[in-house]
């Protein structure tokens, strides 16, 4: 993978994070292929861009307000095949306050499979995994 492709992938992930924080879900969804898969930290599997966007739009306003503290950092970008990349990111969401619960400092890892289509890098698959806190929500 050349430096330009890696830079473009990192820019796409930065845009993904910015749009997610601002809860601009339609624009955020445009970063995914139509046939994308998204597995949530709770194990829900959305099998299209439409399902992914609808699922992420369906959150309480109190959670949307808290997104400003969310951050995401690219940990690695690896070339898998021409036009295909494997990307790992680490996310943090300090003082996340689920409805009716005490605040949590959440963190996790997202694995992305990205594909280059018509000169742009898009997300074909994403898997979000929480690193902490799930044992409390059994």
């Amino acid at each position: 993978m050349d430096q330009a492709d890696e830079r473009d992938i990192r820019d796409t992930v930065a845009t993904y994070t910015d749009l997610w924080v601002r809860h601009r879900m339609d624009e955020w969804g445009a970063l995914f292929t139509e046939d994308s898969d998204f597995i949530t930290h709770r194990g829900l599997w959305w099998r299209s861009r439409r399902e992914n966007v609808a699922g992420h739009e369906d959150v309480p306003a109190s959670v949307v307000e808290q997104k400003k503290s969310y951050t995401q950092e690219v940990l690695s970008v690896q070339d898998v095949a021409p036009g295909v990349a494997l990307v790992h990111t680490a996310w943090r969401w300090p003082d996340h306050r689920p409805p009716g619960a005490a605040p949590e400092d959440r963190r996790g890892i997202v694995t992305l499979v990205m594909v280059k289509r018509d000169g742009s890098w898009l997300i074909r698959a994403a898997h979000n995994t929480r690193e902490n806190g799930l044992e409390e929500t059994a």
Side-chain angles (χ1 to χ4, degrees):
M1 171 178 309
D2 65 25
Q3 290 179 342
D5 278 333
E6 183 169 344
R7 183 190 64 242
D8 290 348
I9 288 168
R10 289 177 180 275
D11 288 347
T12 299
V13 174
T15 299
Y16 164 110
T17 305
D18 176 62
L19 292 170
W20 193 86
V21 166
R22 293 189 295 135
H23 203 65
R24 306 281 297 264
M25 294 294 92
D26 287 333
E27 292 169 74
W28 179 81
L31 300 174
F32 291 80
T33 63
E34 289 287 342
D35 62 344
S36 60
D37 294 282
F38 192 106
I39 299 174
T40 72
H41 75 275
R42 290 197 176 273
L44 296 174
W45 183 0
W46 295 319
R47 293 176 171 93
S48 69
R49 176 193 293 171
R50 183 186 48 75
E51 286 183 10
N52 181 21
V53 169
H56 280 95
E57 283 179 330
D58 186 25
V59 297
S62 62
V63 172
V64 173
E65 289 293 318
Q66 298 173 57
K67 284 185 168 188
K68 61 185 167 257
S69 65
Y70 179 93
T71 61
Q72 185 168 222
E73 171 190 4
V74 174
L75 300 176
S76 69
V77 176
Q78 299 173 340
D79 191 25
V80 175
V84 181
L86 177 64
V87 181
H88 290 95
T89 71
W91 60 266
R92 296 199 180 280
W93 196 346
D95 296 321
H96 179 276
R97 214 179 264 271
E104 308 171 344
D105 287 337
R106 290 185 175 187
R107 65 185 183 277
I109 295 175
V110 175
T111 301
L112 302 169
V113 175
M114 298 185 68
V115 295
K116 193 170 188 179
R117 299 226 174 124
D118 298 324
S120 296
W121 285 93
L122 298 174
I123 300 163
R124 172 56 185 86
H127 190 146
N128 184 9
T129 302
R130 287 246 338 245
E131 289 182 16
N132 67 331
L134 288 178
E135 65 279 355
E136 301 158 7
T137 60

